[in-house]
């Protein structure tokens, strides 16, 4: 009976903090990845996405400024870096957050 | 799909005018038709599910409530209290993609999520909304995110472009993921189905061997059911993550 009462009060407090607009402190920055499958489905395309974005932007700038392939080369490299950065952001252990984004 | 002995796996993604002369006149293809069907199905499911509005829900109502609560928890847990603001958007996005993925699994139907034009339009919508929300909530502090805190200033010419590209890669990876998964799944269906037809031409031994691709296709249906819901979930949760970053101060 007492346990029921404490659990109810815990829940009440949790509900009150929620309504007050304050999240309980135990929320982790990376708690979004509940499903490991969702994580696995993301990793490859995050890397590819960076590279493709870089290649597209480089190609577009080349067309715009009539350079041969300067921007394409530079932005493909930067895009690859961005892709690796995306994957690192995805898989990094919690607590190594360099910034609060 | 397999005409003669050649395998035409990409023919299933071609758009054709539907509904005869009227469709031809207004350039109506399968894609918007299936989008309308998907929306109608989701709306009908919610409408008829919630029509009884019983305190003790029946099966359909319970299903509708579970769907509602699933997406709501997803939005509120990921974004925080502001998640309620974006919940309708995320709900619509999740069920539109889910219905599109699952409609495509019905034989002779069309998967509108297998077109990069559709998935990129959805992704760019999410991207633009997250930028608008960022600018509204954070103002010009939003642009400070492109320089990692604590990094040496000398590295800024290298780091800032990488950060910007990493940011710009979001809609690309979001759209390519959904599009590629759908295309890959349906191409695999088509390839294994054409194996059956090719093997059937070999006589008795072919008939026996053709059981293999059929079994694989049955297993693939199960896999595609998983991929369909998983991709819709990933799309929805990434929308939540981007919006959470947007509303974070």
């Amino acid at each position: 009976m007492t346990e029921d009462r404490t659990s109810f009060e815990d829940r009440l407090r949790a509900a009150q903090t929620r309504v007050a607009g304050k999240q309980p402190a135990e929320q982790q920055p990376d708690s979004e990845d509940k499903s490991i499958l969702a994580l696995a489905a993301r990793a490859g395309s995050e890397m590819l996405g960076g590279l493709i974005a870089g290649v597209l932007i480089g190609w577009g700038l080349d067309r715009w400024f009539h350079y041969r392939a300067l921007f394409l080369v530079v932005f493909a490299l930067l895009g690859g870096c961005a892709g690796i950065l995306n994957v690192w952001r995805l898989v990094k252990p919690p607590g190594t957050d360099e910034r609060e984004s | 799909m397999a005409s003669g002995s050649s395998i035409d796996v990409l023919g299933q993604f071609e758009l054709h005018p539907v509904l005869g002369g009227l469709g031809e006149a207004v350039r109506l293809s399968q894609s918007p038709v299936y989008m309308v069907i998907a929306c109608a199905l989701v709306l009908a499911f919610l409408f008829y599910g919630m029509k009884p509005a019983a305190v003790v829900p029946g099966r359909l109502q319970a299903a509708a409530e579970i769907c509602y609560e699933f997406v709501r928890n997803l939005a509120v847990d990921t974004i925080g209290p502001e998640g309620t603001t974006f919940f309708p958007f995320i709900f619509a996005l999740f069920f539109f993609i889910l219905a599109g993925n699952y409609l495509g699994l019905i034989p002779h139907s069309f998967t509108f999520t297998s077109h990069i034009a559709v998935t990129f339009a959805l992704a760019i919508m999410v991207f633009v909304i997250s930028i608008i929300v960022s600018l509204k909530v954070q103002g010009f502090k939003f642009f400070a995110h492109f320089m990692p805190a604590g990094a040496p200033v000398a590295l800024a010419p290298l780091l800032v472009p990488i950060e910007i590209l990493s940011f710009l890669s979001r809609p690309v990876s979001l759209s390519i993921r959904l599009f590629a998964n759908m295309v890959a799944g349906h191409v695999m269906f088509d390839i294994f189905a054409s194996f059956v037809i090719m093997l059937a031409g070999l006589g008795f031994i072919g008939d026996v061997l053709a059981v293999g691709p059929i079994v694989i296709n049955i297993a693939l249906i199960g896999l595609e059911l998983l991929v369909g819901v998983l991709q819709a979930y990933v799309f929805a949760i990434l929308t939540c993550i981007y919006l959470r970053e947007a509303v974070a101060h």
Side-chain angles (χ1 to χ4, degrees):
Chain A
M1 193 66 202
T2 13
E3 282 161 13
D4 280 356
R5 198 180 160 78
T6 39
S7 86
F8 172 74
E9 276 172 357
D10 281 346
R11 277 184 287 146
L12 181 65
R13 212 171 303 122
Q16 278 169 340
T17 45
R18 202 162 57 233
V19 170
K22 274 178 258 165
Q23 281 299 98
E26 95 284 346
Q27 205 201 10
Q28 288 255 326
D30 283 348
S31 66
E32 72 266 10
D33 300 313
K34 289 193 187 81
S35 163
I36 194 76
L37 273 172
L39 194 72
R42 281 176 59 191
S45 58
E46 289 288 347
M47 193 155 180
L48 200 64
L51 186 62
I52 290 176
V55 167
L56 283 179
I57 290 168
W59 183 74
L61 287 177
D62 274 342
R63 267 183 75 100
W64 190 15
F65 294 115
H66 299 290
Y67 274 97
R68 241 195 186 143
L70 174 68
F71 285 112
L72 184 63
V73 170
V74 171
F75 275 87
L77 285 172
L78 288 174
C81 295
I84 291 167
L85 183 70
N86 286 345
V87 176
W88 165 243
R89 292 244 165 90
L90 191 65
V91 297
K92 73 182 170 194
T96 51
D97 214 359
E98 79 271 29
R99 68 191 169 108
E100 187 56 52
S101 51
Chain B
M1 307 287 166
S3 52
S5 59
S6 68
I7 307 178
D8 176 25
V9 287
L10 295 177
Q12 58 177 326
F13 303 117
E14 277 169 18
L15 292 170
H16 304 290
V18 290
L19 301 178
L22 179 70
E24 203 120 18
V26 295
R27 302 279 192 274
L28 186 70
S29 63
Q30 310 103 308
S31 189
V33 171
Y34 276 95
M35 285 182 204
V36 171
I37 294 174
C39 292
L41 278 179
V42 174
L43 288 176
F45 167 60
L46 291 174
F47 181 75
Y48 287 107
M50 292 316 292
K51 211 174 184 185
V55 179
V56 180
R59 267 176 288 189
L60 196 60
Q61 190 186 341
E65 286 179 6
I66 287 169
C67 291
Y68 178 92
E69 279 172 11
F70 170 70
V71 182
R72 193 185 168 84
N73 287 341
L74 182 75
V76 174
D77 287 352
T78 312
I79 306 178
E82 297 94 338
T84 46
T85 319
F86 302 107
F87 161 68
F89 175 59
I90 291 156
F91 186 89
L93 210 53
F94 178 79
F95 278 98
F96 183 62
I97 295 169
L98 183 68
N101 292 350
Y102 275 5
L103 272 177
L105 287 178
I106 301 169
H108 295 291
S109 69
F110 178 82
T111 328
F112 60 77
T113 44
S114 68
H115 277 190
I116 187 92
V118 176
T119 59
F120 194 71
L122 291 172
I124 210 81
M125 183 168 71
V126 169
F127 187 65
V128 168
I129 287 177
S130 77
I131 289 178
I132 291 172
V133 172
S134 296
L135 287 175
K136 207 174 168 192
V137 174
Q138 306 172 4
F140 285 98
K141 265 167 60 189
F142 165 65
F143 295 103
H145 286 311
F146 291 124
M147 181 62 200
V153 183
L155 280 178
L158 188 62
L159 288 177
V160 171
I162 291 179
E163 287 284 339
I164 291 173
L165 270 175
S166 167
F167 186 69
L168 290 178
S169 75
R170 284 172 170 189
V172 177
S173 64
L174 198 58
S175 55
I176 284 179
R177 184 182 307 116
L178 178 59
F179 146 79
N181 273 284
M182 288 303 120
V183 169
H186 284 80
V187 164
M188 280 202 291
F189 280 142
D190 213 330
I191 287 174
F192 284 108
S194 18
F195 281 173
V196 178
I197 296 168
M198 286 166 154
L199 284 168
L202 290 180
F204 176 71
I205 185 74
D207 287 349
V208 175
L209 287 175
V211 174
I214 293 177
V215 171
I216 291 174
N217 249 356
I218 293 170
L220 275 179
I221 284 275
L223 179 72
E224 282 302 300
L225 285 172
L226 173 71
V227 167
V229 74
L230 189 67
Q231 290 306 321
Y233 177 73
V234 167
F235 206 101
I237 199 156
L238 279 174
T239 307
C240 291
I241 292 171
Y242 298 158
L243 287 171
R244 180 191 63 186
E245 289 182 4
V247 296
H249 291 280

